[in-house]
């Protein structure tokens, strides 16, 4: 799953730790999601969307397979 969390964080001048604290996860979780090594739970995806005041689909996009 692709996401634009790093871009959104940069626009809001947030560190990974800042975002992690805001949504209730560890900085390592943010790093793993941004790096594509971990897909968030639906609950966490909703928390990101609520924090950034957008829809889940604005942040996360399924990876297209050939």
């Amino acid at each position: 799953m692709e996401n634009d969390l790093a871009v959104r964080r940069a626009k809001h001048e947030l560190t990974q730790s800042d975002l992690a604290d805001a949504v209730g996860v560890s900085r390592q979780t943010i790093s793993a999601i941004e790096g594509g090594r971990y897909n968030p739970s639906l609950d966490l995806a909703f928390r990101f969307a609520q924090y950034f005041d957008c829809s889940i689909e604005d942040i996360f996009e399924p990876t297209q397979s050939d």
Side-chain angles (χ1 to χ4, degrees):
M1 182 177 304
E2 296 178 9
N3 68 77
D4 69 351
L5 280 180
V7 172
R8 288 176 186 274
R9 270 195 317 99
K11 286 181 181 177
H12 288 84
E13 299 181 353
L14 299 169
T15 65
Q16 287 181 340
S17 294
D18 293 336
L19 181 56
D21 290 344
V23 298
V25 297
S26 70
R27 185 207 55 81
Q28 292 85 354
T29 298
I30 301 298
S31 177
I33 293 169
E34 288 181 355
R37 297 180 308 277
Y38 175 74
N39 290 329
S41 66
L42 187 56
D43 177 62
L44 181 53
F46 272 111
R47 285 186 267 161
F48 286 128
Q50 182 176 19
Y51 183 81
F52 288 114
D53 192 28
C54 64
S55 70
I56 292 172
E57 293 85 0
D58 290 336
I59 302 172
F60 297 97
E61 185 173 316
T63 303
Q64 295 183 8
S65 58
D66 297 340

